[in-house]
Amino acid sequence: MKLLITGFDPFGGEKINPAWEAVKGLPDNIDGVEVIKLQIPTVFKKSAQKLYENIDAVKPDVVICVGQAGGRYEFCVERVAINLDDGRIPDNEGYQPIDVKVFEDGENAYFTNLPIKAMVEEVKKAGVPAAVSNTAGTYVCNHIMYSLLYYINKNNLNIKGGFIHVPYITEQVLDKKNTPYMDLKTITKGLEASIKAIKNYEADIKVSGGKEF
């Protein structure tokens, strides 16, 4: 199995992005799964273009995109992406779309085809707080998840794809009182457990995963 995993560069005034830092910390091989790491820009459109180029070059079996969700406590595996860009802040090139479709010819939403509940259970077994999330937001994280699933759908690709949101890491909350955070090594451990679950579960498991954020 070949897995492409992406993390964003820092945005919103932060000097570091825990998503990319955690991705960088992954081994190149996890239980026989080849892990290819890619940093993508926190920029609408351009992030998807870079992702597509690498999907075409690498031809992975699985693609996981990882992003920062400052303020969340858990390691969150996303269920669905919606066809909407609505930036709460400008991206890293100053673009701030308001109520714009990601793709005019796309579905209203696409659901991940990853075994998300199995992933969450395996992450929790590894000692990492985790949950299924039912909203990826409307910023670049949702944009890249939607763009990934759109690309898989439109091109009839035999690829599993989805998105994981991770909390701030310790050094990001030194001046953010009462803000949840997670140790970087813990996030990387969660990613490893997620990848093992994807390898081991062809179909998802049936457990409750209806938590709201």
Side-chain angles (χ1 to χ4, degrees):
M1 181 181 287
K2 188 183 293 186
L3 182 141
L4 175 64
I5 186 165
T6 74
F8 288 106
D9 60 1
F11 70 96
E14 297 291 335
K15 296 179 180 178
I16 196 169
N17 191 316
W20 176 239
E21 296 304 314
V23 166
K24 279 198 304 185
L26 287 168
D28 295 329
N29 191 289
I30 299 173
D31 284 2
V33 178
E34 181 185 355
V35 179
I36 298 132
K37 307 156 200 173
L38 173 69
Q39 187 181 56
I40 56 177
T42 308
V43 179
F44 292 98
K45 304 296 183 187
K46 188 177 285 188
S47 56
Q49 291 168 4
K50 186 165 185 179
L51 177 64
Y52 294 164
E53 289 167 3
N54 281 269
I55 289 173
D56 292 344
V58 171
K59 294 180 170 51
D61 302 293
V62 181
V63 180
I64 302 174
C65 299
V66 186
Q68 167 191 295
R72 292 196 191 185
Y73 169 74
E74 293 107 334
F75 180 103
C76 294
V77 184
E78 296 294 345
R79 191 196 302 259
V80 60
I82 61 173
N83 194 4
L84 181 69
D85 289 336
D86 192 11
R88 60 181 178 82
I89 56 174
D91 67 17
N92 282 353
E93 291 190 353
Y95 177 53
Q96 186 176 8
I98 305 295
D99 297 339
V100 175
K101 285 188 174 184
V102 182
F103 286 99
E104 286 292 337
D105 64 338
E107 300 293 335
N108 287 334
Y110 289 109
F111 286 81
T112 182
N113 57 359
L114 294 176
I116 58 173
K117 293 184 175 180
M119 291 164 67
V120 166
E121 291 306 306
E122 291 303 311
V123 172
K124 289 195 288 189
K125 285 179 188 175
V128 181
V132 170
S133 168
N134 298 305
T135 174
T138 56
Y139 193 53
V140 186
C141 289
N142 175 78
H143 179 90
I144 198 67
M145 181 182 180
Y146 185 92
S147 297
L148 167 61
L149 298 176
Y150 169 93
Y151 197 68
I152 291 171
N153 181 275
K154 289 293 184 181
N155 293 286
N156 295 311
L157 300 177
N158 186 26
I159 293 175
K160 288 187 176 180
F163 192 93
I164 293 170
H165 262 129
V166 300
Y168 285 134
I169 52 177
T170 311
E171 51 263 53
Q172 291 180 284
V173 300
L174 298 178
D175 59 352
K176 298 181 179 73
K177 189 176 180 180
N178 299 323
T179 300
Y181 66 94
M182 190 176 283
D183 179 78
L184 179 59
K185 289 183 180 178
T186 303
I187 296 174
T188 300
K189 186 195 294 186
L191 292 177
E192 284 195 56
S194 297
I195 291 167
K196 290 175 182 177
I198 292 166
K199 180 189 175 186
N200 294 329
Y201 290 87
E202 180 64 30
D204 208 355
I205 59 176
K206 291 287 186 183
V207 295
S208 174
K211 178 169 181 173
E212 297 180 8
F213 287 88

PDB file of all heavy atoms in Angstrom, residues 193-209:
ATOM      1  N   ALA A 193      -1.409   5.467  14.155  1.00  0.00           N
ATOM      2  CA  ALA A 193      -2.510   4.554  14.470  1.00  0.00           C
ATOM      3  C   ALA A 193      -3.585   4.613  13.386  1.00  0.00           C
ATOM      4  O   ALA A 193      -4.181   3.595  13.027  1.00  0.00           O
ATOM      5  CB  ALA A 193      -3.101   4.901  15.836  1.00  0.00           C
ATOM      6  N   SER A 194      -3.826   5.806  12.844  1.00  0.00           N
ATOM      7  CA  SER A 194      -4.803   5.964  11.766  1.00  0.00           C
ATOM      8  C   SER A 194      -4.385   5.189  10.530  1.00  0.00           C
ATOM      9  O   SER A 194      -5.206   4.512   9.882  1.00  0.00           O
ATOM     10  CB  SER A 194      -4.961   7.447  11.399  1.00  0.00           C
ATOM     11  OG  SER A 194      -5.470   8.188  12.470  1.00  0.00           O
ATOM     12  N   ILE A 195      -3.120   5.274  10.181  1.00  0.00           N
ATOM     13  CA  ILE A 195      -2.605   4.594   8.993  1.00  0.00           C
ATOM     14  C   ILE A 195      -2.693   3.072   9.167  1.00  0.00           C
ATOM     15  O   ILE A 195      -3.075   2.353   8.246  1.00  0.00           O
ATOM     16  CB  ILE A 195      -1.165   5.059   8.700  1.00  0.00           C
ATOM     17  CG1 ILE A 195      -1.187   6.523   8.236  1.00  0.00           C
ATOM     18  CG2 ILE A 195      -0.500   4.169   7.650  1.00  0.00           C
ATOM     19  CD1 ILE A 195       0.174   7.197   8.206  1.00  0.00           C
ATOM     20  N   LYS A 196      -2.374   2.591  10.360  1.00  0.00           N
ATOM     21  CA  LYS A 196      -2.497   1.155  10.628  1.00  0.00           C
ATOM     22  C   LYS A 196      -3.949   0.697  10.489  1.00  0.00           C
ATOM     23  O   LYS A 196      -4.231  -0.380   9.960  1.00  0.00           O
ATOM     24  CB  LYS A 196      -1.965   0.840  12.019  1.00  0.00           C
ATOM     25  CG  LYS A 196      -0.456   0.983  12.147  1.00  0.00           C
ATOM     26  CD  LYS A 196       0.011   0.766  13.572  1.00  0.00           C
ATOM     27  CE  LYS A 196       1.515   0.970  13.700  1.00  0.00           C
ATOM     28  NZ  LYS A 196       1.985   0.826  15.098  1.00  0.00           N
ATOM     29  N   ALA A 197      -4.880   1.530  10.969  1.00  0.00           N
ATOM     30  CA  ALA A 197      -6.304   1.179  10.865  1.00  0.00           C
ATOM     31  C   ALA A 197      -6.750   1.115   9.408  1.00  0.00           C
ATOM     32  O   ALA A 197      -7.516   0.227   9.016  1.00  0.00           O
ATOM     33  CB  ALA A 197      -7.148   2.190  11.635  1.00  0.00           C
ATOM     34  N   ILE A 198      -6.279   2.056   8.595  1.00  0.00           N
ATOM     35  CA  ILE A 198      -6.644   2.061   7.167  1.00  0.00           C
ATOM     36  C   ILE A 198      -6.157   0.778   6.499  1.00  0.00           C
ATOM     37  O   ILE A 198      -6.859   0.186   5.674  1.00  0.00           O
ATOM     38  CB  ILE A 198      -6.061   3.303   6.470  1.00  0.00           C
ATOM     39  CG1 ILE A 198      -6.754   4.571   6.985  1.00  0.00           C
ATOM     40  CG2 ILE A 198      -6.204   3.204   4.954  1.00  0.00           C
ATOM     41  CD1 ILE A 198      -6.043   5.860   6.610  1.00  0.00           C
ATOM     42  N   LYS A 199      -4.960   0.340   6.871  1.00  0.00           N
ATOM     43  CA  LYS A 199      -4.428  -0.902   6.302  1.00  0.00           C
ATOM     44  C   LYS A 199      -5.243  -2.112   6.751  1.00  0.00           C
ATOM     45  O   LYS A 199      -5.495  -3.031   5.961  1.00  0.00           O
ATOM     46  CB  LYS A 199      -2.969  -1.086   6.723  1.00  0.00           C
ATOM     47  CG  LYS A 199      -2.357  -2.357   6.154  1.00  0.00           C
ATOM     48  CD  LYS A 199      -1.001  -2.660   6.737  1.00  0.00           C
ATOM     49  CE  LYS A 199      -0.491  -4.008   6.213  1.00  0.00           C
ATOM     50  NZ  LYS A 199       0.769  -4.426   6.861  1.00  0.00           N
ATOM     51  N   ASN A 200      -5.681  -2.103   8.002  1.00  0.00           N
ATOM     52  CA  ASN A 200      -6.278  -3.298   8.592  1.00  0.00           C
ATOM     53  C   ASN A 200      -7.788  -3.408   8.435  1.00  0.00           C
ATOM     54  O   ASN A 200      -8.351  -4.487   8.635  1.00  0.00           O
ATOM     55  CB  ASN A 200      -5.919  -3.378  10.072  1.00  0.00           C
ATOM     56  CG  ASN A 200      -4.429  -3.601  10.305  1.00  0.00           C
ATOM     57  OD1 ASN A 200      -3.765  -4.234   9.482  1.00  0.00           O
ATOM     58  ND2 ASN A 200      -3.903  -3.075  11.397  1.00  0.00           N
ATOM     59  N   TYR A 201      -8.456  -2.304   8.110  1.00  0.00           N
ATOM     60  CA  TYR A 201      -9.918  -2.312   7.998  1.00  0.00           C
ATOM     61  C   TYR A 201     -10.350  -1.926   6.588  1.00  0.00           C
ATOM     62  O   TYR A 201     -10.302  -0.746   6.219  1.00  0.00           O
ATOM     63  CB  TYR A 201     -10.549  -1.343   9.002  1.00  0.00           C
ATOM     64  CG  TYR A 201     -10.433  -1.772  10.444  1.00  0.00           C
ATOM     65  CD1 TYR A 201      -9.303  -1.442  11.186  1.00  0.00           C
ATOM     66  CD2 TYR A 201     -11.451  -2.491  11.062  1.00  0.00           C
ATOM     67  CE1 TYR A 201      -9.183  -1.827  12.516  1.00  0.00           C
ATOM     68  CE2 TYR A 201     -11.347  -2.874  12.397  1.00  0.00           C
ATOM     69  CZ  TYR A 201     -10.209  -2.541  13.111  1.00  0.00           C
ATOM     70  OH  TYR A 201     -10.100  -2.924  14.435  1.00  0.00           O
ATOM     71  N   GLU A 202     -10.770  -2.896   5.812  1.00  0.00           N
ATOM     72  CA  GLU A 202     -11.284  -2.619   4.470  1.00  0.00           C
ATOM     73  C   GLU A 202     -12.638  -1.918   4.573  1.00  0.00           C
ATOM     74  O   GLU A 202     -12.938  -0.987   3.834  1.00  0.00           O
ATOM     75  CB  GLU A 202     -11.418  -3.917   3.685  1.00  0.00           C
ATOM     76  CG  GLU A 202     -11.941  -3.742   2.266  1.00  0.00           C
ATOM     77  CD  GLU A 202     -11.008  -2.948   1.378  1.00  0.00           C
ATOM     78  OE1 GLU A 202      -9.780  -2.997   1.595  1.00  0.00           O
ATOM     79  OE2 GLU A 202     -11.509  -2.273   0.453  1.00  0.00           O
ATOM     80  N   ALA A 203     -13.461  -2.388   5.521  1.00  0.00           N
ATOM     81  CA  ALA A 203     -14.769  -1.774   5.790  1.00  0.00           C
ATOM     82  C   ALA A 203     -14.750  -1.166   7.183  1.00  0.00           C
ATOM     83  O   ALA A 203     -13.985  -1.595   8.056  1.00  0.00           O
ATOM     84  CB  ALA A 203     -15.873  -2.821   5.685  1.00  0.00           C
ATOM     85  N   ASP A 204     -15.579  -0.163   7.396  1.00  0.00           N
ATOM     86  CA  ASP A 204     -15.612   0.499   8.692  1.00  0.00           C
ATOM     87  C   ASP A 204     -16.372  -0.346   9.712  1.00  0.00           C
ATOM     88  O   ASP A 204     -17.103  -1.280   9.371  1.00  0.00           O
ATOM     89  CB  ASP A 204     -16.261   1.884   8.560  1.00  0.00           C
ATOM     90  CG  ASP A 204     -15.740   2.870   9.606  1.00  0.00           C
ATOM     91  OD1 ASP A 204     -14.949   2.452  10.484  1.00  0.00           O
ATOM     92  OD2 ASP A 204     -16.117   4.055   9.524  1.00  0.00           O
ATOM     93  N   ILE A 205     -16.201   0.013  10.973  1.00  0.00           N
ATOM     94  CA  ILE A 205     -16.913  -0.668  12.047  1.00  0.00           C
ATOM     95  C   ILE A 205     -18.160   0.120  12.422  1.00  0.00           C
ATOM     96  O   ILE A 205     -18.287   1.298  12.082  1.00  0.00           O
ATOM     97  CB  ILE A 205     -16.002  -0.850  13.281  1.00  0.00           C
ATOM     98  CG1 ILE A 205     -15.500   0.511  13.800  1.00  0.00           C
ATOM     99  CG2 ILE A 205     -14.826  -1.759  12.935  1.00  0.00           C
ATOM    100  CD1 ILE A 205     -14.682   0.422  15.071  1.00  0.00           C
ATOM    101  N   LYS A 206     -19.096  -0.531  13.117  1.00  0.00           N
ATOM    102  CA  LYS A 206     -20.355   0.119  13.504  1.00  0.00           C
ATOM    103  C   LYS A 206     -20.304   0.496  14.977  1.00  0.00           C
ATOM    104  O   LYS A 206     -20.564  -0.318  15.867  1.00  0.00           O
ATOM    105  CB  LYS A 206     -21.533  -0.831  13.256  1.00  0.00           C
ATOM    106  CG  LYS A 206     -21.814  -1.088  11.779  1.00  0.00           C
ATOM    107  CD  LYS A 206     -22.449   0.114  11.122  1.00  0.00           C
ATOM    108  CE  LYS A 206     -22.863  -0.190   9.696  1.00  0.00           C
ATOM    109  NZ  LYS A 206     -23.416   0.985   9.004  1.00  0.00           N
ATOM    110  N   VAL A 207     -19.908   1.721  15.253  1.00  0.00           N
ATOM    111  CA  VAL A 207     -19.942   2.272  16.612  1.00  0.00           C
ATOM    112  C   VAL A 207     -20.451   3.698  16.520  1.00  0.00           C
ATOM    113  O   VAL A 207     -20.427   4.315  15.448  1.00  0.00           O
ATOM    114  CB  VAL A 207     -18.541   2.250  17.288  1.00  0.00           C
ATOM    115  CG1 VAL A 207     -18.044   0.830  17.502  1.00  0.00           C
ATOM    116  CG2 VAL A 207     -17.535   3.048  16.465  1.00  0.00           C
ATOM    117  N   SER A 208     -20.905   4.236  17.628  1.00  0.00           N
ATOM    118  CA  SER A 208     -21.408   5.603  17.639  1.00  0.00           C
ATOM    119  C   SER A 208     -20.286   6.589  17.339  1.00  0.00           C
ATOM    120  O   SER A 208     -19.184   6.475  17.872  1.00  0.00           O
ATOM    121  CB  SER A 208     -22.021   5.916  19.007  1.00  0.00           C
ATOM    122  OG  SER A 208     -22.399   7.278  19.075  1.00  0.00           O
ATOM    123  N   GLY A 209     -20.600   7.568  16.492  1.00  0.00           N
ATOM    124  CA  GLY A 209     -19.606   8.592  16.170  1.00  0.00           C
ATOM    125  C   GLY A 209     -20.272   9.902  15.849  1.00  0.00           C
ATOM    126  O   GLY A 209     -19.867  10.624  14.939  1.00  0.00           O
TER     127      GLY A 209
END
